[in-house]
Amino acid sequence: METTTPEARTPEAPAPEAAAPEARSRELEERIAADPGAFRILTGDRPTGPLHLGHYFGTLANRVRLQRAGVELFVLVADLQVLTDRDVADHLSEYVEGLVADYLAVGIDPSTATIFRHGAVPALNQLMLPFLSLVSVSELSRNPTVKDEIASSRQASVSGLMFTYPVHQAADILFCKADLVPVGRDQLPHQEITRTIARRFNERYAPVFPVPDALLSDAPSLLGTDGRKMSKSRGNAIALSAGPDETAKLIRRAVTDADRRITYEPGTRPEVSNLVLLAALCQGRDPHAVAAEIGDGGGAALKQVVTDSVNEFLRPVRARRAELIADRGYLRGVLAAGNDRANAVANRTLEEVRAAMESR
């Protein structure tokens, strides 16, 4: 795939403010279909534990789809950002390699994707200083996503890293001049800070950065087996690396209700509907059809269908992941190659930033 180098990219005019994010995303999908090589995406995860089915259906499947379509993909292993809401980064090396194994097992191709580690790209993190000068404390404190993260933080006090997290995220996106960032609606305020920083830098110094667009997807939102938001820390998520027996045990504990007839009604039966949706996603079918097929079988039949569907769906992913984890040297090599590519891009961008600032 032929791609545009960072230096040759021209900052794109921002989308009209009146355009709804969904409408803009539909427009972007049409442009991607017409010319995928014109786009570069930055996405990634914090290595805080194994990825789960919520990650797969929420983001991973979309990344694989876009890469296979021909979009250039930068995938960040955000090891430094583990400290955003934690006092220490436990098991970091293990989680970093596990994250890379998850990426490759679901189909991300390291020969065309740049998979890199935050801490291995110094020039990326040096962009934080000029970027912090482009936003005010009040702008950061008004960010609703930061407010939510602070409210749910396990820390006794708010660290400077958490408060400035949107600026760090802007550096992640802009260092490689990504023009698309797949996000959920809850991440749009973070994305808007990135867009603000790009615009202000271009206006104050020189047109160095594209103004990246948020790419919303129709990804389903899966609840955990306890009916709450699926999360690694809550123990309610089915990890991609979980074995068949562990998966069955988790699903047996899943919350249902007293109505024996299985229906797909997310508004009134969220827990049952969540299990139906999970089975449907794994089978590639409509959830109403899956529910109708189970009928009066009750919760036990539903859980068995979900268990069989998940285990069959994850069977090739687990097999591939087991091969990858058995060859840690290969995983480290993938990261090393990605780190080298990311460093080359980051160094060039930092040079451009310095030249633009010194010329004023």
Side-chain angles (χ1 to χ4, degrees):
M1 176 185 72
E2 185 176 345
T3 57
T4 307
T5 62
E7 293 77 6
R9 288 175 180 263
T10 302
E12 185 179 312
E17 295 297 329
E22 291 83 357
R24 179 60 174 163
S25 292
R26 287 193 295 271
E27 176 190 336
L28 289 166
E29 287 286 0
E30 292 175 0
R31 291 175 53 197
I32 290 169
D35 186 12
F39 294 92
R40 173 177 288 171
I41 280 178
L42 185 283
T43 184
D45 304 274
R46 295 192 301 168
T48 54
L51 297 183
H52 51 67
L53 281 172
H55 291 120
Y56 179 83
F57 290 113
T59 60
L60 295 175
N62 197 38
R63 295 175 194 176
V64 174
R65 174 185 71 87
L66 290 165
Q67 183 186 28
R68 289 176 177 170
V71 176
E72 186 178 14
L73 191 63
F74 275 65
V75 186
L76 167 67
V77 177
D79 56 341
L80 294 184
Q81 289 176 1
V82 169
L83 295 173
T84 300
D85 59 356
R86 288 166 169 76
D87 295 323
V88 293
D90 294 324
H91 310 291
L92 190 58
S93 296
E94 173 190 345
Y95 287 160
V96 166
E97 291 175 8
L99 195 57
V100 176
D102 285 336
Y103 289 154
L104 303 188
V106 301
I108 292 177
D109 183 355
S111 68
T112 54
T114 300
I115 303 173
F116 67 100
R117 188 170 58 83
H118 220 162
V121 188
L124 183 166
N125 298 292
Q126 289 182 56
L127 290 173
M128 276 280 286
L129 287 176
F131 285 0
L132 281 168
S133 74
L134 297 170
V135 290
S136 68
V137 170
S138 61
E139 284 175 315
L140 292 175
S141 63
R142 287 196 303 267
N143 185 297
T145 311
V146 170
K147 287 182 180 179
D148 290 343
E149 289 172 351
I150 289 173
S152 61
S153 172
R154 295 178 297 176
Q155 293 182 329
S157 59
V158 177
S159 72
L161 179 59
M162 175 172 281
F163 190 70
T164 59
Y165 180 71
V167 183
H168 207 167
Q169 197 170 65
D172 299 339
I173 296 166
L174 296 177
F175 97 94
C176 64
K177 301 188 179 180
D179 38 32
L180 288 180
V181 184
V183 295
R185 286 197 63 87
D186 62 332
Q187 290 292 310
L188 287 175
H190 272 355
Q191 175 71 1
E192 194 52 43
I193 285 186
T194 298
R195 290 167 59 82
T196 296
I197 288 171
R199 289 194 196 103
R200 288 178 182 171
F201 187 95
N202 293 343
E203 291 165 0
R204 183 176 299 181
Y205 299 109
V208 171
F209 297 108
V211 179
D213 272 300
L215 185 66
L216 295 176
S217 73
D218 296 326
S221 179
L222 286 171
L223 300 176
T225 53
D226 59 359
R228 298 184 297 166
K229 181 179 178 181
M230 189 175 288
S231 169
K232 290 177 276 191
S233 61
R234 289 179 176 148
N236 65 357
I238 300 170
L240 301 180
S241 56
D245 292 342
E246 181 184 352
T247 298
K249 183 178 179 181
L250 282 166
I251 294 171
R252 279 197 299 271
R253 297 204 310 256
V255 176
T256 55
D257 59 33
D259 190 342
R260 185 167 182 79
R261 180 152 189 86
I262 301 303
T263 59
Y264 182 66
E265 300 173 84
T268 56
R269 304 183 71 187
E271 295 89 354
V272 166
S273 296
N274 184 65
L275 289 173
V276 172
L277 177 60
L278 180 53
L281 289 169
C282 291
Q283 294 179 23
R285 297 173 62 200
D286 180 82
H288 293 94
V290 173
E293 196 171 87
I294 299 169
D296 293 325
L302 171 61
K303 291 178 181 181
Q304 188 60 55
V305 168
V306 175
T307 299
D308 293 343
S309 301
V310 169
N311 280 334
E312 179 59 27
F313 180 80
L314 286 181
R315 183 172 51 80
V317 174
R318 289 165 174 162
R320 175 61 177 148
R321 192 184 189 281
E323 293 174 0
L324 291 162
I325 285 295
D327 191 352
R328 299 273 181 172
Y330 174 72
L331 295 175
R332 293 169 190 150
V334 167
L335 260 183
N339 291 341
D340 287 345
R341 290 197 295 270
N343 269 297
V345 171
N347 289 336
R348 287 193 292 267
T349 299
L350 186 59
E351 288 173 8
E352 281 187 79
V353 166
R354 286 172 172 162
M357 295 178 72
E358 290 170 0
S359 67
R360 290 303 302 261

